Amino acid sequence: MERGIRYYRVNAFCTLLLLLFAWVPVTKTVITCRSCHLLDKWSGRELLVRMDSGVDFGKVSDKNGDGSMALFNSAGAETGQPECGATDNCKHAHFVRKRNTDRLRSEKMPRDDKWKSMRSNGKVYNLKRPGSHGSAPGDPHHRVRRSTQGPDSPPGARSLPFGNSAARAARRVPRSELTWNREERRTATSRQEELKLTSSTFALTGDSAHNQAMVHWSGQNSSVILMLTKLYDFNLGSVTESSLWRSTDYGTTYEKLNEKVGVKIILSYLYVSPNNKRKIMLLTDPEVESSLLISSDEGATYQKYRLNFYILSLLFHPEQEDWILAYGHDQKLYSSVEFGRRWQLVHEQVAPNRFYWSKLGLDKEPGLIHLETSISETQALYITCKLQNCTDANKGKPFPGYIDPNSLVVQDEYVFVQDLHVISTDENRVVAAVQEWNQNDTYNLYVSEAGGIYYTLALENVMSSMGPEGNVMIDLYEVAGIKGMFLANKKLNNEVKTYITYNKGRDWRLLQAPSADLRGNRIHCMLPYCSLHLHLQVSANPYTSGNIASRESVPGIIVASGSIGAELTSSNVSMFITSDAGNTWRQIFDEEYSVLYLDQGGALVAIRHTPLPIRHLWLSFDEGRVWNKYSFTSSPLFVDGVLGEPGEETLIMTIFGHVSHRSEWQLVKIDFRSIFNRRCVESDYVPWDLHDQGERCLMGVKRVYQKLRPIARCVMGKIYSVTTISEPCDCTESDFECDYGFERRANGKCTPAFWFLSSSMSRTCTTEHTFLNSTGYRKVVSNNCTGGVMEQYTARRQLCPSQAPRGLHLVTSEGKLTATLASNVTFLVFLEEGDGSKTSIMVDFGDGNAFTYSNVSSIEDGIKHIYKNVGIYRVSATAENSLGSETVLLFLHITCQLESIHLSAPFVAVKNKEVNLTVVLSPSQVGTVTYIWWFGNNSEPVITLEGSVAFTFSREGISVVTVQVSAGNTILQDRKTIAVHEYFRSHLLAFSSNLDDHNPDVTEWRLDASRVIKTSMVQATGVKSEQLLVTVLPGLPTAAEFFLLPDIRLTEGKPDKTATHLDQLSELVLSALNQNLVQFTLRPGVQITVYAAHLSAAPLVDTSDNHSGSAMLMLLSVVVAGLAVFLIYKFKRYCYPFFKTSTWIIMHILAVKNMVSFVNWLNV
């Protein structure tokens, strides 16, 4: 197992250092709890010490059973470090950090404010980041996989920060002598005969500047320890130096391996295969070189392999020692089946921390991966993929449609794709936390039946707190070694109280406070007004949480910090212990200590939380009744962390520290084997009955454990296992909890909830079959009672009733009401009630096609249909049997992708005259379309369902018209600028034929050509630039139109405005055009002549008060156009060359020039 320590070094003036130690278990659940499921999971202890505001922190983590420990920064000094994401099987090394003397030397440390600490609280439920993996330096997001960690947690760290307040730390310093005197009087030996432990010290020469370390102890029956020390530069945010040390004698001596791995190589992280502790992986600093160093002989030799991506997190396979998943910084997931020697891309756009290995016996293939892929900010997909062949053909889609982003959780036999905060899935039952609409800092706990579908309330208003990463943690602690025993902090009338249960949340009660304090004074504390309360959580301030520890090997012994009174407080915190599983408690220290388990729990080690250097620790061999003081070093040592031997035995420990702020790392190895007299024998054990205030039948059985006698001073050893004798009990009402849809009343009875419809439980029933009709109760999961009231409370099997179809549902597999043209649409039909095997289903797709199916089961995989036309279809499904029928409707929008839009609008409009604006879509039929129009400076848009709108401009000048077209998920926009005047003149222009050879017919070219033509006309005619507007029209042959606008200086202030001056300018321009005076050079050697077209374009709007002459001209133009079209059609074979130019001009008049405006003009 691996351990890590980080520490900070202080200057000569900073002699205060607050040090805290505690064991922290780890769970494989998505939302971890302080000690859930300790039976098959490794546990640990963790310390976080804050040395400076926001920067200088340290944390010690000793993962029991894994041999790793960490003391590391948790305040953002080194954020987002790579982390092993294996749920309960990734055993990689952890950090140790020394005090950062460089940052502290120039600062004075306030006595009360600068010293903060964190204590481990065991398993803590992480609600916001289920299944997270980890991150590396440079990643803006911190990754945490199925656990709770500080922002700077190392790879695979799975503990929760713990600590006490600065004020509390400051108070302890002045009274330390009194405390020591009290404890010395309790010591079993005399002061003159100081007890000493067998120890040896080794200094890491040359690493005095290094401020971080990662430590790994290979495992049980191995003497190899690896230690990676690093110098982390807080200003640069990267590692600048590193050293690798290896011990083969349990930490007595160390060898420096820098020359073996490469003197110039900078190492950043150390990983270990959870299935083979001999396999080591070192990750280099990617700022210098991105590569891996791999060892298969416990770190004796290494091979180097280059990487072409930046690893953020790793996930080891739970069974295959060489299978690894690596998450890259670019949201790509990679896999290796050779322990990192070769990598292969699995999938892109993978959601962070949302990838999981398949589980043996549950998934079809061992190499299957569960993924959540990101589609958009609001949509994601759940897919399964083969490890070495993740192609579209091999991808599975277990859940139809899209899922919410960051919602996929795969745990044991359950898969969750909704926002349900999963706590545990052990023993075929899901425990989940849900925050109701009226809750702020509390959650309700729910438990499910075996299927994980139906949930009942277990406990209301359980306290929560915000973790260091913004993750929510629930105050729920599962006691190790005793099935069904939990501790929880519940808010009741604004007071937080600690409750205990022995039957998995069926019944809860308060904790009885100790009867006397350390001095033997009687404590007057009567239930329910006064009780014992324990710290189980990391609060909003992560540096003021308590600690708690229990072990599988010593059932019934729990050590925790807490307070006595009406509610839980953070002041006057003491240490308490229980030897009988929470029935009675004793106070063991009136200050906070870290209590560690030795020899399977046969002995306890206590280390005082103090900012001073120490050389003593305390040992107890009688479950904390008497404590003996031992020295572990001759010189006082500032302790930075503790590393224990892997496994529950823990008879060898290494303490990391330094003797002064300038000293090198000091590694003190302590061998506790010498303090034990002999090996334990059968006579050293006594039976102990588990009970709850005298009630021995718990979880349906009477359990008798074999415990070590308090006076026995022997070694239990590695082969020791807890012996339990179980005797089943008769079932009573207390063995049953309320079933789904039922709630417990004040009298203890389970009655139906107001929302529950009892008939819904038989909705999947098939006629002539049976179903279980609930009595309102169900036996608590894992309860082993027999007989008694079993028959009375157990659900009764009854014949399925015949009933008409009810609750018919019709949805698409994507969960959408839209689909793309020509795509396969899958409809899902299901019944809430009714015999599906004898109920026919008729589905009408709304496009003239309908099909009938004999029963619901025949369409479980859905009904596929392809629509060939765009539109809105009324889809119906009808369920019918001999007792009745039911119909449900669905209105489906079939659309196609909108590719482009064009706003057709006049270039010039007449003031106070209505103008038609039209949007042309491509393709023309795309389904339901919404048009949003903005005119000029109007802040409120006009929304229409039609692509044409009429508008009147009331002011002269330049107006901008903007239209947005929304079709499905696509929004396109076009904009036109319109010049508004009271009158104007316009004419069509034609060009010499050589211009067509150079016309690409794109918007940019037309804009440039319009500008050149205008300049040529201004030069040839002398017309003012601001009075002339030229625009080249789309299409070939090339054509254009020019507009003559009134001169504002001539007409401004005149009540009688006429167009006489425009008529004069028009004749001038036409004369110049007819004389071929308007020319421009397109490119060298290409001269273009501009002509007046033979047919002048009629005004787009009415510009005069007398319409008769213009109307006749327009009527004549229409007649001529119609005649031309007829002749072209009739004689196109013979007359095509003749009519080519004229036809184009006419078609431009009728089509390009806004035909609707002509009609409006004629109607005036």
Side-chain angles (χ1 to χ4, degrees):
M1 177 155 190
E2 322 72 77
R3 304 197 184 260
I5 310 172
R6 297 184 185 173
Y7 77 82
Y8 293 87
R9 306 184 63 185
V10 295
N11 57 35
F13 303 100
C14 299
T15 59
L16 298 179
L17 173 63
L18 181 59
L19 181 63
L20 303 173
F21 299 91
W23 291 92
V24 180
V26 174
T27 179
K28 68 179 180 180
T29 56
V30 174
I31 307 174
T32 59
C33 75
R34 287 184 176 74
S35 74
C36 298
H37 331 303
L38 290 178
L39 184 61
D40 59 345
K41 301 168 183 66
W42 54 279
S43 58
R45 56 179 175 267
E46 180 177 41
L47 168 68
L48 173 60
V49 180
R50 176 168 182 172
M51 302 298 300
D52 194 7
S53 57
V55 176
D56 297 327
F57 292 80
K59 182 185 289 185
V60 172
S61 174
D62 182 2
K63 308 300 182 193
N64 184 23
D66 191 352
S68 66
M69 176 270 288
L71 171 57
F72 51 89
N73 179 280
S74 180
E78 182 181 2
T79 60
Q81 304 164 15
E83 174 179 346
C84 176
T87 315
D88 57 353
N89 52 28
C90 181
K91 309 290 192 292
H92 62 68
H94 298 257
F95 281 106
V96 182
R97 171 166 292 165
K98 293 167 65 177
R99 293 166 180 78
N100 188 347
T101 58
D102 295 334
R103 294 182 60 85
L104 294 176
R105 255 179 221 135
S106 61
E107 300 179 15
K108 285 190 175 182
M109 299 289 290
R111 180 172 300 177
D112 296 330
D113 298 329
K114 294 280 182 168
W115 302 97
K116 306 264 183 192
S117 64
M118 285 188 160
R119 293 186 312 280
S120 164
N121 288 309
K123 296 183 184 175
V124 179
Y125 295 112
N126 180 343
L127 298 190
K128 294 296 173 87
R129 300 175 180 269
S132 51
H133 296 258
S135 59
D139 179 26
H141 307 289
H142 308 300
R143 318 294 184 199
V144 184
R145 179 171 182 76
R146 297 186 183 182
S147 64
T148 356
Q149 307 171 33
D152 302 312
S153 302
R158 306 197 187 182
S159 308
L160 181 69
F162 62 94
N164 60 340
S165 66
R168 200 183 319 147
R171 283 196 299 273
R172 285 201 300 269
V173 174
R175 63 174 183 170
S176 60
E177 292 301 324
L178 296 176
T179 304
W180 281 108
N181 291 335
R182 280 199 303 272
E183 291 165 352
E184 287 172 359
R185 287 197 296 269
R186 300 171 54 212
T187 306
T189 59
S190 67
R191 188 179 184 90
Q192 287 75 17
E193 298 178 0
E194 183 179 70
L195 298 175
K196 296 183 179 179
L197 295 170
T198 302
S199 64
S200 61
T201 302
F202 185 87
L204 300 185
T205 305
D207 282 1
S208 59
H210 290 191
N211 53 11
Q212 292 180 358
M214 301 180 70
V215 185
H216 161 70
W217 198 323
S218 289
Q220 298 182 19
N221 302 319
S222 175
S223 61
V224 175
I225 301 176
L226 287 176
M227 184 172 182
L228 172 63
T229 64
K230 303 181 296 182
L231 173 58
Y232 182 82
D233 191 311
F234 293 92
N235 295 322
L236 298 177
S238 62
V239 178
T240 57
E241 293 180 16
S242 67
S243 295
L244 184 64
W245 299 82
R246 186 172 185 260
S247 172
T248 57
D249 52 9
Y250 289 95
T252 303
T253 59
Y254 288 83
E255 176 190 4
K256 198 170 187 178
L257 303 181
N258 283 31
E259 292 184 358
K260 290 187 178 182
V261 299
V263 178
K264 296 183 179 181
I265 290 181
I266 299 178
L267 303 174
S268 57
Y269 300 101
L270 186 153
Y271 298 88
V272 182
S273 170
N275 302 297
N276 185 351
K277 300 290 186 62
R278 296 180 59 84
K279 292 190 174 182
I280 311 295
M281 179 185 295
L282 295 171
L283 181 64
T284 63
D285 189 345
E287 297 292 333
V288 179
E289 176 185 351
S290 184
S291 61
L292 289 175
L293 295 173
I294 297 175
S295 172
S296 299
D297 52 9
E298 291 188 288
T301 59
Y302 293 89
Q303 294 81 42
K304 183 177 178 182
Y305 298 89
R306 295 280 185 178
L307 288 175
N308 57 4
F309 63 98
Y310 180 16
I311 294 179
L312 292 182
S313 62
L314 294 178
L315 179 62
F316 289 88
H317 193 275
E319 286 93 23
Q320 299 291 336
E321 62 185 53
D322 292 335
W323 291 12
I324 309 174
L325 293 178
Y327 188 73
H329 66 285
D330 50 0
Q331 288 191 305
K332 293 180 180 179
L333 185 67
Y334 300 84
S335 67
S336 174
V337 294
E338 302 177 56
F339 199 69
R341 292 173 175 84
R342 292 183 180 85
W343 296 92
Q344 178 177 329
L345 178 65
V346 177
H347 206 283
E348 297 180 348
Q349 297 301 315
V350 177
N353 318 316
R354 301 294 172 176
F355 47 93
Y356 308 87
W357 285 110
S358 58
K359 187 166 184 178
L360 189 64
L362 297 177
D363 292 289
K364 296 179 180 179
E365 300 179 36
L368 201 65
I369 307 171
H370 300 265
L371 303 172
E372 178 185 316
T373 59
S374 302
I375 303 301
S376 65
E377 293 183 358
T378 59
Q379 293 178 331
L381 281 177
Y382 166 35
I383 65 172
T384 57
C385 210
K386 291 184 178 181
L387 175 63
Q388 294 291 302
N389 190 19
C390 190
T391 61
D392 291 336
N394 292 322
K395 290 179 184 177
K397 195 175 181 183
F399 185 78
Y402 296 107
I403 64 174
D404 294 333
N406 297 315
S407 65
L408 177 65
V409 176
V410 179
Q411 190 167 305
D412 294 331
E413 62 266 41
Y414 302 97
V415 176
F416 304 92
V417 289
Q418 59 185 13
D419 190 16
L420 183 68
H421 304 307
V422 180
I423 291 174
S424 70
T425 55
D426 280 4
E427 299 177 326
N428 295 321
R429 185 182 77 158
V430 178
V431 180
V434 177
Q435 190 168 52
E436 308 291 353
W437 63 271
N438 59 341
Q439 293 177 310
N440 294 319
D441 56 354
T442 61
Y443 281 73
N444 291 344
L445 291 182
Y446 289 85
V447 295
S448 77
E449 35 67 66
I453 299 176
Y454 302 108
Y455 292 79
T456 57
L457 182 65
L459 186 64
E460 291 183 291
N461 297 317
V462 180
M463 283 299 298
S464 68
S465 60
M466 193 66 66
E469 283 195 19
N471 47 322
V472 176
M473 290 164 289
I474 298 296
D475 287 13
L476 181 66
Y477 183 89
E478 183 175 359
V479 179
I482 300 179
K483 184 182 297 184
M485 184 176 175
F486 289 83
L487 292 162
N489 283 334
K490 175 181 178 180
K491 179 181 277 190
L492 184 65
N493 299 325
N494 290 324
E495 292 182 335
V496 179
K497 301 175 182 290
T498 301
Y499 289 80
I500 191 171
T501 179
Y502 295 86
N503 53 10
K504 289 199 170 183
R506 162 65 170 78
D507 301 291
W508 298 84
R509 66 170 176 85
L510 294 168
L511 297 178
Q512 178 64 58
S515 58
D517 62 12
L518 282 176
R519 302 166 186 83
N521 300 322
R522 181 175 177 79
I523 298 176
H524 300 280
C525 186
M526 296 183 61
L527 296 173
Y529 310 104
C530 174
S531 60
L532 174 64
H533 309 285
L534 305 177
H535 287 283
L536 306 175
Q537 91 294 343
V538 171
S539 63
N541 178 0
Y543 314 113
T544 60
S545 61
N547 67 340
I548 184 169
S550 58
R551 286 292 174 270
E552 295 277 355
S553 56
V554 280
I557 296 181
I558 308 171
V559 183
S561 65
S563 59
I564 299 173
E567 63 177 328
L568 180 66
T569 64
S570 58
S571 60
N572 298 322
V573 176
S574 301
M575 299 300 299
F576 300 90
I577 191 171
T578 177
S579 301
D580 55 6
N583 285 281
T584 60
W585 294 82
R586 303 187 309 275
Q587 185 180 8
I588 55 175
F589 298 106
D590 60 1
E591 292 183 287
E592 291 179 272
Y593 276 69
S594 293
V595 180
L596 293 72
Y597 290 77
L598 281 182
D599 183 37
Q600 306 277 14
L604 300 175
V605 178
I607 301 178
R608 181 169 174 253
H609 293 169
T610 173
L612 304 175
I614 62 174
R615 66 184 189 91
H616 295 96
L617 50 76
W618 298 76
L619 279 169
S620 175
F621 301 93
D622 56 359
E623 299 177 345
R625 291 177 176 84
V626 177
W627 292 87
N628 303 289
K629 182 179 180 181
Y630 287 80
S631 65
F632 63 88
T633 181
S634 58
S635 301
L637 188 72
F638 288 98
V639 178
D640 299 311
V642 177
L643 171 66
E645 181 182 7
E648 292 283 346
E649 184 182 21
T650 313
L651 288 174
I652 298 177
M653 286 185 178
T654 299
I655 294 181
F656 296 79
H658 60 284
V659 295
S660 69
H661 71 279
R662 295 183 181 275
S663 70
E664 297 164 325
W665 290 84
Q666 302 293 318
L667 278 60
V668 181
K669 172 191 171 183
I670 304 175
D671 192 339
F672 291 95
R673 290 175 293 186
S674 61
I675 65 175
F676 294 95
N677 300 326
R678 55 186 174 80
R679 285 277 178 181
C680 296
V681 296
E682 185 177 352
S683 59
D684 292 317
Y685 296 91
V686 294
W688 170 70
D689 297 332
L690 174 65
H691 65 93
D692 175 13
Q693 295 182 328
E695 175 56 55
R696 293 188 57 204
C697 285
L698 301 176
M699 295 296 290
V701 295
K702 296 178 181 178
R703 281 173 281 180
V704 181
Y705 295 89
Q706 295 295 318
K707 296 181 64 176
L708 194 65
R709 291 178 182 273
I711 60 173
R713 190 164 174 173
C714 57
V715 177
M716 292 190 290
K718 298 179 180 180
I719 62 174
Y720 167 79
S721 61
V722 178
T723 302
T724 307
I725 302 174
S726 299
E727 178 186 343
C729 299
D730 290 339
C731 291
T732 64
E733 190 268 344
S734 63
D735 295 311
F736 294 82
E737 61 188 0
C738 292
D739 202 354
Y740 171 75
F742 292 81
E743 297 176 347
R744 192 174 300 279
R745 304 303 177 186
N747 60 4
K749 301 297 182 181
C750 295
T751 58
F754 73 94
W755 50 265
F756 180 61
L757 183 64
S758 58
S759 61
S760 64
M761 299 309 294
S762 62
R763 65 188 182 186
T764 58
C765 223
T766 302
T767 305
E768 301 177 356
H769 289 74
T770 60
F771 76 103
L772 290 175
N773 189 18
S774 176
T775 61
Y777 299 85
R778 68 186 182 200
K779 191 160 71 168
V780 175
V781 174
S782 301
N783 189 295
N784 296 315
C785 71
T786 58
V789 298
M790 174 78 79
E791 184 176 351
Q792 177 184 348
Y793 286 93
T794 303
R796 298 174 178 86
R797 188 163 294 280
Q798 297 180 1
L799 283 173
C800 295
S802 298
Q803 51 188 349
R806 292 180 59 186
L808 181 64
H809 292 268
L810 173 64
V811 297
T812 63
S813 61
E814 301 290 340
K816 291 184 171 185
L817 296 177
T818 62
T820 305
L821 183 68
S823 65
N824 244 327
V825 183
T826 302
F827 294 95
L828 302 178
V829 182
F830 57 92
L831 273 173
E832 287 188 4
E833 299 179 28
D835 186 356
S837 64
K838 296 187 177 181
T839 300
S840 64
I841 300 292
M842 192 272 288
V843 179
D844 187 339
F845 299 104
D847 61 350
N849 296 305
F851 297 93
T852 301
Y853 303 88
S854 59
N855 53 64
V856 177
S857 59
S858 64
I859 55 175
E860 287 182 351
D861 295 333
I863 307 168
K864 297 185 183 299
H865 187 68
I866 297 177
Y867 288 90
K868 298 180 179 180
N869 295 304
V870 171
I872 303 176
Y873 294 89
R874 180 181 182 271
V875 186
S876 65
T878 302
E880 184 176 7
N881 61 22
S882 59
L883 298 178
S885 64
E886 187 173 59
T887 299
V888 64
L889 298 177
L890 182 150
F891 294 94
L892 185 66
H893 295 244
I894 301 298
T895 63
C896 67
Q897 181 69 33
L898 179 62
E899 297 177 359
S900 65
I901 66 171
H902 173 72
L903 174 59
S904 178
F907 300 102
V908 184
V910 177
K911 176 183 174 182
N912 295 326
K913 291 291 185 179
E914 196 174 69
V915 176
N916 283 311
L917 307 170
T918 303
V919 178
V920 180
L921 308 182
S922 178
S924 59
Q925 298 295 323
V926 295
T928 305
V929 179
T930 303
Y931 301 85
I932 303 100
W933 306 81
W934 279 272
F935 298 97
N937 296 325
N938 293 344
S939 58
E940 294 295 328
V942 176
I943 302 176
T944 66
L945 297 178
E946 298 294 334
S948 188
V949 66
F951 187 77
T952 301
F953 296 94
S954 58
R955 292 184 178 181
E956 287 189 81
I958 301 299
S959 290
V960 177
V961 178
T962 302
V963 62
Q964 289 182 336
V965 180
S966 174
N969 295 326
T970 303
I971 297 179
L972 299 181
Q973 175 177 296
D974 195 9
R975 177 180 289 128
K976 286 295 188 320
T977 300
I978 301 177
V980 180
H981 295 277
E982 290 195 2
Y983 47 85
F984 62 88
R985 294 290 182 264
S986 65
H987 297 274
L988 278 177
L989 297 175
F991 304 91
S992 52
S993 58
N994 58 343
L995 180 59
D996 293 343
D997 299 333
H998 304 279
N999 183 357
D1001 196 21
V1002 295
T1003 302
E1004 292 78 5
W1005 185 90
R1006 290 193 292 270
L1007 291 174
D1008 292 338
S1010 299
R1011 185 176 62 256
V1012 172
I1013 297 169
K1014 177 180 177 179
T1015 302
S1016 302
M1017 294 180 66
V1018 169
Q1019 294 175 350
T1021 62
V1023 176
K1024 296 179 180 178
S1025 176
E1026 58 268 21
Q1027 286 187 263
L1028 182 63
L1029 177 64
V1030 177
T1031 179
V1032 177
L1033 302 176
L1036 293 173
T1038 307
E1041 186 172 9
F1042 75 88
F1043 299 85
L1044 290 174
L1045 308 179
D1047 189 345
I1048 299 178
R1049 290 173 297 180
L1050 297 178
T1051 59
E1052 188 175 9
K1054 295 182 179 179
D1056 185 19
K1057 300 179 181 180
T1058 62
T1060 304
H1061 67 291
L1062 287 184
D1063 293 334
Q1064 296 173 352
L1065 287 177
S1066 179
E1067 292 178 0
L1068 175 62
V1069 172
L1070 290 175
S1071 175
L1073 292 171
N1074 292 332
Q1075 298 178 42
N1076 297 335
L1077 298 179
V1078 181
Q1079 295 181 352
F1080 64 92
T1081 302
L1082 185 64
R1083 63 179 57 182
V1086 180
Q1087 191 75 13
I1088 305 298
T1089 303
V1090 184
Y1091 308 100
H1094 298 292
L1095 278 177
S1096 174
L1100 296 178
V1101 292
D1102 183 16
T1103 63
S1104 66
D1105 297 331
N1106 188 358
H1107 310 307
S1108 56
S1110 300
M1112 291 301 295
L1113 178 60
M1114 176 55 67
L1115 208 51
L1116 179 61
S1117 299
V1118 172
V1119 172
V1120 171
L1123 180 60
V1125 171
F1126 173 78
L1127 292 175
I1128 292 172
Y1129 176 78
K1130 195 73 175 174
F1131 304 103
K1132 58 184 177 181
R1133 292 184 56 188
Y1134 310 101
C1135 305
Y1136 177 76
F1138 175 78
F1139 287 110
K1140 181 178 180 182
T1141 304
S1142 299
T1143 302
W1144 182 90
I1145 297 175
I1146 296 171
M1147 295 308 291
H1148 266 68
I1149 296 174
L1150 299 179
V1152 181
K1153 297 301 299 176
N1154 198 334
M1155 189 61 189
V1156 178
S1157 299
F1158 291 158
V1159 175
N1160 289 339
W1161 184 86
L1162 290 173
N1163 291 334
V1164 176

